[in-house]
Amino acid sequence: MKTTTEVEIKVSGARVTNATVMTDGTCKLTIEAANAVSNVTEVKDNVFVLVEASKLSLNDEFMQYEPETDEERKFKLLLEKAIKSGLKDFKRPNCDPSFNEGGICYEYGKAPAVGKSYNWWNQVAKKFKPEYNSRLGTKTEYVAFLGVLIKQLVEMGCSIKKAWDAVCNNSLESNGCRAIFGIYDLVNCYRILAEDEEAGGFWIAGCDYYNVFKFIPLAELHHCLDRNMDNSDGVGWLVLD
């Protein structure tokens, strides 16, 4: 009398797309790596992650920290101003954009889409997912994202001092391919942010992995005026509602 046994197989970071029973009774599995998917429409919910900016509060534990460096002091003032302004949640991609036919896509392992101007990114961002109000993220949204990052680091057991230092002074690790809370490429390229009507021009934020300096602060912000200049080390920072 023959008996049958059910076996459950789970493959981390991939999915089984086909199963074939061979003549000898074995089973051949076809496995597709999750990060091989390049169509951003199909992986939209995975590529863009929610930034719960609305939950930031001046009463948060990490906000009671007394800054020790000029960089920390400047960023805390920006974050306090952002929180007081009333923040809304938004979504940001968990990896850098890459070039696609006539535009961009989000695909792990591909080269970042550097070398384009603010004007190019502003147009591409608006056309990317207009049904989700795709756009270049603002300086305030970027500051809010970093605030959420510090808060998450503290909640995961990092000391408050180390969390602030990581974002403001020497950002995390000099390894652009490592994920922090599901977000890759944090220190790969500069981020081109939206135009600032109050200050004029636009902002470039964050850091470049190939920076000649040892310090790679995510909280670094530079004000720029030339919207037509190609940025060899920057990519647009897209956000969705």
Side-chain angles (χ1 to χ4, degrees):
M1 179 178 177
K2 295 182 178 180
T3 59
T4 59
T5 303
E6 292 186 359
V7 178
E8 180 180 0
I9 299 176
K10 293 182 179 181
V11 183
S12 177
R15 62 191 182 102
V16 177
T17 59
N18 187 54
T20 304
V21 178
M22 310 302 288
T23 56
D24 61 356
T26 60
C27 182
K28 179 182 178 181
L29 302 178
T30 302
I31 298 173
E32 179 182 278
N35 61 5
V37 180
S38 61
N39 189 326
V40 72
T41 302
E42 294 181 359
V43 295
K44 169 176 62 64
D45 292 335
N46 294 325
V47 170
F48 282 84
V49 296
L50 181 65
V51 177
E52 295 183 309
S54 65
K55 293 185 178 180
L56 288 173
S57 169
L58 295 176
N59 296 321
D60 284 334
E61 181 185 11
F62 81 96
M63 288 298 293
Q64 310 315 308
Y65 173 71
E66 189 64 37
E68 297 182 356
T69 67
D70 288 341
E71 289 76 16
E72 291 174 358
R73 280 186 281 273
K74 286 190 295 185
F75 178 71
K76 188 175 184 183
L77 288 174
L78 289 174
L79 185 53
E80 288 175 343
K81 181 179 178 180
I83 293 173
K84 290 176 182 178
S85 72
L87 296 169
K88 295 182 179 180
D89 295 346
F90 58 92
K91 291 184 177 181
R92 62 144 294 168
N94 64 2
C95 63
D96 280 340
S98 301
F99 289 121
N100 201 3
E101 296 180 6
I104 59 170
C105 65
Y106 288 90
E107 182 176 349
Y108 306 128
K110 291 189 67 174
V114 297
K116 295 295 184 179
S117 68
Y118 169 85
N119 283 340
W120 187 91
W121 277 108
N122 189 41
Q123 293 178 10
V124 167
K126 291 178 180 179
K127 294 178 181 178
F128 182 70
K129 289 288 178 184
E131 66 272 28
Y132 295 100
N133 190 26
S134 60
R135 62 198 185 277
L136 288 177
T138 64
K139 174 184 174 182
T140 297
E141 286 172 324
Y142 184 79
V143 168
F145 160 66
L146 294 186
V148 170
L149 183 59
I150 295 176
K151 185 174 181 177
Q152 288 178 325
L153 287 168
V154 173
E155 290 175 347
M156 292 296 292
C158 182
S159 71
I160 295 177
K161 179 179 179 179
K162 187 174 181 180
W164 277 85
D165 176 68
V167 169
C168 297
N169 304 317
N170 191 21
S171 295
L172 307 170
E173 299 176 344
S174 56
N175 184 347
C177 62
R178 176 159 181 170
I180 306 296
F181 301 113
I183 299 176
Y184 294 80
D185 304 330
L186 282 173
V187 295
N188 256 5
C189 304
Y190 293 104
R191 302 311 193 255
I192 299 172
L193 306 182
E195 185 172 9
D196 190 326
E197 294 183 1
E198 181 179 342
F202 64 99
W203 295 91
I204 291 181
C207 48
D208 170 13
Y209 176 67
Y210 297 102
N211 194 320
V212 296
F213 301 103
K214 292 182 179 180
F215 299 107
I216 43 179
L218 286 172
E220 187 75 20
L221 288 161
H222 299 280
H223 187 239
C224 301
L225 294 173
D226 191 346
R227 299 173 180 82
N228 294 307
M229 181 183 68
D230 291 337
N231 193 309
S232 61
D233 300 312
V235 297
W237 193 63
L238 273 68
V239 299
L240 309 178
D241 284 345

